[in-house]
Amino acid sequence: MFPTKTDKARDELQGGQRTLSQRERALLLMADGRRSLSDFSPLFSTRDEAEQAIQTLVQRGYLQTPKVAVAPGKAVPPTPAPAQPAPLPASEPIQIATSADTFDGKRSLATTRMFLFDICERMFVRRDPKFALQMRDALREARDREAMLTIAALMLTEIEKAAGPERAESLRERIDKLLPPAELVH
């Protein structure tokens, strides 16, 4: 299953309209017809939970699954499951540039987006290239503060797993310093 967004999903992702949870919005951001169920599974506790969420979004009209035309009598070979990323070695330290500590520019979505791209490159490209690609694609599609927060939350969850809650919290604080206040964005 390689779900894609519907017009209803695109409307949901535009600024000002919030009817879905943050996790459901993250699914919509990532649904591009190239990602399968296994790509969405890291957002959930179990693969079944991810599958149920996708099915619910399909039933509610936010996602659609492309129909594959098959000639009569022809079998479609099963697609092999992608390999799971290797766990992070415990001895490999995770480092983040501290340039955001001295940031004294204006708060903006553009600055936040660039910081999130930077985190993605430094934290995930070598350790989990597939996740890094998903986050970069999602950042390119993010058009508002809520979408940025959704992507940041996904990245921070993975950072917390790999580098601990202190590192995730310090990055969360930096992101909060870069994002414009919610009342100025709407």
Side-chain angles (χ1 to χ4, degrees):
M1 176 187 319
F2 295 86
T4 59
K5 294 175 203 61
T6 63
D7 289 337
K8 184 177 181 180
R10 286 182 199 87
D11 290 342
E12 169 69 24
L13 293 173
Q14 294 302 313
Q17 186 174 8
R18 304 283 181 268
T19 58
L20 299 176
S21 71
Q22 200 169 16
R23 189 178 294 179
E24 290 168 324
R25 288 175 57 82
L27 275 174
L28 294 183
L29 283 168
M30 294 172 61
D32 62 2
R34 297 179 300 196
R35 293 183 177 92
S36 69
L37 176 61
S38 59
D39 294 317
F40 298 108
S41 296
L43 301 175
F44 297 90
S45 301
T46 66
R47 184 180 171 98
D48 291 338
E49 189 179 331
E51 186 173 6
Q52 179 60 42
I54 291 170
Q55 288 301 328
T56 300
L57 290 172
V58 167
Q59 291 167 356
R60 292 174 60 194
Y62 290 100
L63 293 176
Q64 60 190 3
T65 53
K67 306 294 184 224
V68 178
V70 178
K74 300 258 180 168
V76 177
T79 305
Q84 292 296 321
L88 295 175
S91 62
E92 189 172 338
I94 294 178
Q95 297 178 1
I96 297 280
T98 58
S99 59
D101 291 339
T102 59
F103 175 77
D104 57 357
K106 290 179 130 182
R107 293 171 169 245
S108 73
L109 291 178
T111 303
T112 307
R113 181 190 316 260
M114 293 313 297
F115 182 67
L116 291 173
F117 269 119
D118 187 54
I119 291 172
C120 185
E121 294 302 309
R122 293 172 186 269
M123 297 292 292
F124 303 115
V125 166
R126 292 197 353 236
R127 288 179 179 85
D128 191 349
K130 192 172 169 181
F131 183 75
L133 178 63
Q134 291 171 347
M135 293 299 100
R136 284 193 303 251
D137 288 347
L139 281 168
R140 284 185 196 101
E141 290 186 35
R143 302 280 180 249
D144 60 23
R145 185 178 199 279
E146 188 66 30
M148 293 283 185
L149 286 171
T150 299
I151 297 162
L154 292 170
M155 291 172 63
L156 290 170
T157 298
E158 292 303 310
I159 291 168
E160 188 170 333
K161 289 178 191 173
E166 296 83 17
R167 172 57 81 190
E169 185 57 34
S170 72
L171 291 173
R172 184 176 288 109
E173 289 171 6
R174 292 178 192 167
I175 292 166
D176 288 343
K177 290 176 184 177
L178 297 174
L179 269 174
E183 62 273 4
L184 296 179
V185 176
H186 297 282

